[in-house]
Amino acid sequence: MYIDSQEILSSAQSIAAAAGDVASTNYYDTGAAADVGIGEDLYLVVATVAAVTSGGSATVQFVLQCDDNTSFSSPKEFPLTGAVALAALTANTVQYRGRLPIGLERYLRVVYRIGTATTTAGTATAYFTKNVQANTPTATTVPGVK
């Protein structure tokens, strides 16, 4: 699997935050208003790199957002997962792996939607790739960016 540095949205980004949205560090510019969800396959991978912790029972939902401007003032949302329970937000775990949906606008980012309680630690990685890695990851083969 090849990962282009221009297609990395988050690289072990902290998602420790109060309830609300944590936007990926980077966004991806498709370069045109054309829908990149149509045509050649492009996959999105989202993984928790360091375990997410919370003083309560926090959840994290992983959401793909797109917009026609970089301010993401009126984004379209594509939920990638439901609210993922704290027990499943372990280290080196792929939370989502799938093909980009149809209906996308020019700019893309991932949002980590914290719910129920504040997260006190945890990191996530998100990137696009042409070839998805489907083996079960171990601590030494995390499908993320180190």
Side-chain angles (χ1 to χ4, degrees), residues 20-57:
D21 288 355
V22 176
S24 58
T25 306
N26 303 313
Y27 62 84
Y28 181 71
D29 181 356
T30 66
D35 184 357
V36 295
I38 298 173
E40 194 170 344
D41 289 346
L42 186 62
Y43 295 90
L44 173 62
V45 177
V46 182
T48 46
V49 179
V52 177
T53 60
S54 172
S57 56

Side-chain angles (χ1 to χ4, degrees), residues 69-89:
N69 61 71
T70 59
S71 68
F72 289 87
S73 55
S74 56
K76 288 172 58 177
E77 293 194 344
F78 297 84
L80 304 172
T81 67
V84 179
L86 196 60
L89 297 169

